[in-house]
Amino acid sequence: SPGAAAAPGRALCALVLATLGSAAGRPLGAESVCTAPALAKYSVTFTGKWSQTAFPKQYPLFRPPAQWSSLLGAAHGSDYSMWRKDQYASNGLRDFAERGEAWALMKEIEAAAEKLQSVHEVFSAPAVPSGTGQTSTELEVRSRHSLVSFVVRIVPSPDWFVGIDSLDLCDGDQWKEHVAMDLYPYDAGTDSGFTFSSPNFATIPQDTVTEITSSSPSHPANSFYYPRLKSLPPIASVTLARLQQSPRAFVPPALDLASRDNEIFDSLSVPETPLDCEVSLWSSWGLCGGPCGEPGSKSRTRYVRVQPANDGTPCPKLEEETECVPDNCV
């Protein structure tokens, strides 16, 4: 009968509507809803591994020496993004990556908290005044805001930084107890400098955020260009460990970029990255010298542009001679 024939169609329609309704109820971009207990607190430890042994090429020793900016992050939901690979950096991230100025990025986070209700907490940790060292802080997440993002600027650099993007600390119905991640350098896509100490040279048009590797950008002048390596060693790492505590009402703390302690560890175990010697092109041949009527000699020179390090290829000879016939002699 017509009614019997329509029944399967109505059932299929109801199933489709139910599926769509379920998907619409999830946070944007999330695969599943976090059902863990309402609140969880974590310690965050950032460790810089930027040493002259691991990254010998153009390692900054002066004005300023290698160091890390303050860490700035947020606990948020899936409808907020502080930064993302292959997407354009916001004005706030640009200011932070280029100059270490946090004001605009803070305003963006606050706007997301007010308009989208997508940010639960802003957290920070003080700067590390050397390439190797640690700094730490604490953060609090809840089931609706279980993602964590942060950035730390590489100092000095054109617009380079490290960080994590939307790390989910929730695992279904429970919180993750411990997360450890290696960190690698990123280019914010707003400055076109190749070296740590490059002058400001805006990228027009702006490029997307990209990961810096041992072969990209593929240019010998790039401070991270190590063609002998398949991949760069980690330049930093981060560890998040859950703190045991009783759930409580959360009171947002005042942002303080310099209130917590940090430590410097110069004896951290780091890999030794070989750096090959680089020399200039040969100069022109000099004048041919020698007595009249006899074979003479002339020479040319070159100089060392990059000294080898960590068992890298040694420098070749810097002077070369060849026989010649004197053109003008007395």
Side-chain angles (χ1 to χ4, degrees):
S1 65
R10 289 195 298 269
L12 178 60
C13 182
L15 178 61
V16 172
L17 290 174
T19 303
L20 290 175
S22 175
R26 298 173 188 165
L28 180 64
E31 295 181 358
S32 61
V33 175
C34 177
T35 58
L39 295 174
K41 194 168 186 178
Y42 286 82
S43 65
V44 182
T45 302
F46 173 85
T47 302
K49 299 182 178 181
W50 184 18
S51 69
Q52 191 171 11
T53 302
F55 299 92
K57 187 174 183 180
Q58 303 168 2
Y59 188 81
L61 296 173
F62 310 102
R63 299 182 181 179
Q67 58 191 275
W68 300 94
S69 77
S70 56
L71 178 152
L72 181 60
H76 58 90
S78 57
D79 50 356
Y80 170 74
S81 175
M82 178 179 288
W83 68 276
R84 189 148 294 168
K85 182 181 177 182
D86 298 327
Q87 294 188 9
Y88 293 104
S90 66
N91 291 335
L93 180 60
R94 178 198 63 204
D95 289 353
F96 189 86
E98 289 188 8
R99 300 183 295 275
E101 296 176 0
W103 175 253
L105 186 55
M106 278 293 304
K107 297 299 290 184
E108 292 174 356
I109 298 173
E110 291 174 1
E114 294 174 2
K115 296 179 181 178
L116 302 177
Q117 300 294 308
S118 58
V119 176
H120 171 60
E121 179 186 6
V122 179
F123 60 93
S124 66
V128 179
S130 66
T132 59
Q134 290 186 332
T135 186
S136 60
T137 185
E138 295 181 359
L139 68 92
E140 193 166 56
V141 291
R142 59 183 181 182
S143 55
R144 288 184 56 246
H145 304 91
S146 61
L147 306 181
V148 172
S149 298
F150 72 78
V151 288
V152 183
R153 179 178 182 247
I154 297 173
V155 183
S157 74
D159 60 342
W160 302 340
F161 68 96
V162 298
I164 56 176
D165 166 37
S166 302
L167 171 67
D168 197 346
L169 294 177
C170 182
D171 188 8
D173 61 351
Q174 58 185 354
W175 295 107
K176 296 176 181 178
E177 294 296 327
H178 186 272
V179 178
M181 297 179 63
D182 288 329
L183 304 177
Y184 299 88
Y186 280 88
D187 186 320
T190 62
D191 192 295
S192 296
F194 271 125
T195 67
F196 295 118
S197 57
S198 293
N200 184 39
F201 184 63
T203 302
I204 301 174
Q206 181 177 332
D207 203 353
T208 58
V209 174
T210 57
E211 184 176 355
I212 300 172
T213 70
S214 60
S215 58
S216 179
S218 183
H219 194 292
N222 179 20
S223 293
F224 286 111
Y225 185 70
Y226 295 94
R228 287 179 54 181
L229 301 181
K230 290 184 177 179
S231 60
L232 290 175
I235 196 170
S237 66
V238 64
T239 301
L240 297 96
R242 188 183 176 195
L243 303 175
Q244 299 300 323
Q245 63 165 20
S246 301
R248 59 176 177 80
F250 175 66
V251 179
L255 180 66
D256 185 350
L257 296 178
S259 63
R260 301 180 179 89
D261 293 335
N262 58 10
E263 301 176 67
I264 301 174
F265 296 101
D266 293 326
S267 60
L268 291 172
S269 177
V270 294
E272 289 192 356
T273 299
L275 181 63
D276 299 336
C277 176
E278 294 182 15
V279 296
S280 67
L281 297 175
W282 286 108
S283 67
S284 300
W285 287 104
L287 295 175
C288 183
C292 292
E294 297 182 15
S297 65
K298 59 182 178 181
S299 64
R300 61 180 182 176
T301 61
R302 56 186 174 183
Y303 60 90
V304 176
R305 298 178 61 185
V306 177
Q307 291 286 353
N310 305 330
D311 295 324
T313 303
C315 294
K317 62 180 183 178
L318 302 178
E319 186 172 354
E320 188 175 66
E321 285 192 0
T322 188
E323 289 187 353
C324 61
V325 176
D327 295 325
N328 299 309
C329 60
V330 177

